[in-house]
Amino acid sequence: MDVVSPELNNLLPDEIMDTEAIVVEEVPASAAQPCDAAPVPMETDAPVVVVMPQNVELCSPSTPTPIASAASQLSLVVSSASSSSSSGLTFKPIFATATATSTRTTASLTGTSVPTTTAGLQKLSAGSFAISAANHQIILNKVAEATKTSGVSPSTGQVIKQDGQKLLVTTIGKSGQPIVLQLPQKTSADGMASAPQYKVVTIGGRTELKPVVGSPGSPLPVSTLQAQQLKTLQIAKKTQVSAAAPIKYIITKTVSKGLTSQTTVSPVIAGRVLNSPVMSPITLSESLNTSLQNLSSKKIAISPLKSPSKLTVVSVASQTPNATQKSMGVPVNMALGQQILTVHQPTSVSPSKVVSSQSTAQTMKPVQTVTMGSSQFKHIIPLATQPNVQQIQVPGSRFHYVRLVTSTTANTATMQTGGPTTSTMQTAKPMVVNTGTVRMSVPIAPAQTMKQVVAKSLTTTTTAQVMTNAQTQQRLIMPATPLPQIQSNFTNLPPGTVLAPAPGTGNVGYAVVPAQYVTQLQQSSLVTMASSSGFNPPSGVQTQARLPVNGLSTAPDSSTRPRKPCNCTKSQCLKLYCDCFANGEFCNNCNCNNCFNNLEHETERLKAIKTCLDRNPGAFKPKIGKGKQGESDRRHSKGCNCKRSGCLKNYCECYEAKIMCSSICKCVGCKNFEESPERKTLMHLADAAEVRVQQQTAAKTKLSSQISDLLMRTTPVSTSGGGRLPYTFVTKEVVEATCECLLDQARQTELSGQPQALAERLVLEEFGHCLMRIISSAGKAKSDCINC
DNA sequence: GAGTTTGAAACT
DNA sequence: CAGTTTCAAACTC
């Protein structure tokens, strides 16, 4: 295992992983807040929520409730308020009111406009199960009065009881992905432990409670979960928990886009933080009550991202009272003294993209099992493709942050391989975190990237294979301190895992991994897998998820559009001069020399990132953001400083971004403003050029069509007479199409200001091209006729 | 494709 | 913070 030296770790940007202190109040779990309580800020202001690129629908058993997802998030927060023996969680559907508070952060995270109807995290009263239509969150609050019974109430059909625990399910994503919650083993009157029950929360489907034979800590039987994509959360009865210092569990599960991708379960993050002086436990209610204002100033570290939409940061822990906890994209539930489990499960792609891999998905039910039980707080987390690298997908995210946090008061955390897995998750390698107060912010891969990787694996091999191999290939850069502790706690970490102590935090570690890093890891895993399974992956290792998925091309968007290769020669691609680096990407297929922006130079790269952030904390933030009120929606964050280009060339960042210069620009002789005639001219020319290209394309297409049509009609003649001369193909339609091409060419040359002589020449050349097409077609027709 | 221009980033 | 240098992209020929 490679370990990053403390010196290097100190170089890592604090902004990325350091979290701001979060003021939380310890509140009894029973203190459920009304559903209309203050919404919990989502997104970046909250530390523990995982953003899922996938839309999820949460439906109550009786009344399926499709949820329009403004964001893709799924988080499970389970908090144990007391040592109560009863095991029950109430699940009561309640629709929360939408609030606009969370919208802002969402937008900042995703870089896209989010409907203001996004509702904050809804808090449910006891025995209730709330579904936030906007945020798609389900909060399961432990209710004291609900402890009498466990299981699903017929009337409500939504009761999941867990004594002393709250279960918060926050999800935004697509439907069809049930979540199975194994209720704590209930002790019957005769003292015998009853079979654990699994609460199946079908997102977008029905909810059902399934008794399952097996120990709480054991994986779910395959038979029970087959044919379903399940997310299993096993909640063992927690005992000996101090009521004064309730321990809460936060389980955040992320599901990536794609229905079948779930089978290729991605790395899981597991982290747990015990109560500490600085981290007092907070109840769900508190987290819900935590206003955005409180959290806004405590945003988590942000990766060097060019655009917020690409930010994938999961922050998790704060070690010192003064430590701040920042989180990108996650609502906070980050409570001190909470156990936090972040599980990322890249699930699938949109149904339309999963057709071909559907069968595979069925056979590979990714099941994530988290056992939180006993006083030891053991967490058994079957790890997916990258057991130790929890991947939280945020669409467009480019950077991955992995953070390990150990509590100073925590017991020695140990991580060991979990028990045998009998479920379909054969590949899932359970990871047991024993009382390890470790929080891990997991690297996140761009949704597209993840989806692509998943798709490839699905189409070529089984998920199990992917997972198994991924484990051996994964490599995690995790700042973690103290190193010895972390290392001892994560003996299962695959070779190459980098752990480093975070600067000044004593025992806080983190890792910063670019999205492509994960992609590379995954792809390398696929390679390994291929070697054992006979699958030959594409030669291009770093494809950035732009390949078609199952034969269906993924709709390219701005975030996934191929980036121009860089040509850096002196910067080693470790300075912002390099667009790749500036965008938080690895160089791929670039023309750079002596490139260090790759996996082979991780330490240098991290150091460079740190340096950039030290110099400018916003170095990786998007340059184009929203302007002030009354100004254009988009403007350069810093403004340009152009002197000679008039801001009408691509040298100007404003012009390049197709936005006008603003008041903050320091440019000289700026012509990039609304009323600028030069700008209008340029815009006109640009538009005209685009139109011309379209017209020309259309004309040529038409010409080809006419010729083809003509060939179809003249073929019989050719067969009888040994072929027709080319001029016989010059029909009225062909002439018209040819003229359109010529006129188009003429217009183009005229608009471009070409001399008349040149224009005439170009037109003639175009005419020649047209004739050649006609002749070629005629020849082809003749040839075809001879053959027939 | 080589050379020039340009402005952001980096440096002092 | 301002001036200078470095750098790579944009641009020109």
Side-chain angles (χ1 to χ4, degrees), chain A residues 734-751:
Chain A
V734 171
V735 170
E736 289 178 350
T738 301
C739 289
E740 287 188 29
C741 289
L742 301 182
L743 290 173
D744 221 34
Q745 181 65 52
R747 282 193 292 265
Q748 184 175 353
T749 55
E750 182 181 0
L751 290 175

Side-chain angles (χ1 to χ4, degrees), chain A residues 71-118:
Chain A
S72 297
Q73 292 185 345
L74 171 61
S75 65
L76 297 178
V77 176
V78 178
S79 63
S80 174
S82 66
S83 63
S84 105
S85 61
S86 65
S87 60
L89 293 176
T90 59
F91 219 163
K92 184 176 183 178
I94 296 173
F95 288 93
T97 58
T99 61
T101 57
S102 63
T103 301
R104 180 182 60 78
T105 56
T106 299
S108 65
L109 173 67
T110 60
T112 59
S113 176
V114 177
T116 58
T117 56
T118 301

Side-chain angles (χ1 to χ4, degrees), chain A residues 32 71 164 182-183 195 201 205 217 239 273 287 297 329 373 440 486 497 519 567 688 707 730 769-770 778:
Chain A
Q182 180 181 1
L183 298 178
V201 179
T239 61
V273 175
S287 65
S297 62
M440 300 171 68
I486 294 299
T497 299
T519 301
N567 301 294
I707 293 174
V730 184
H769 294 155
C770 293

Side-chain angles (χ1 to χ4, degrees), chain A residues 28 71 145 174 179 184 198 223 374 452 529 531 548 558 560 582 616 643 689 691 734 737 745:
Chain A
E145 58 272 24
K174 296 195 179 225
I179 298 173
Y198 293 94
S223 60
S374 74
Q452 179 181 7
M529 168 186 68
S531 63
S558 59
T560 60
N616 176 19
K643 301 292 187 299
V691 171
V734 171
Q745 181 65 52

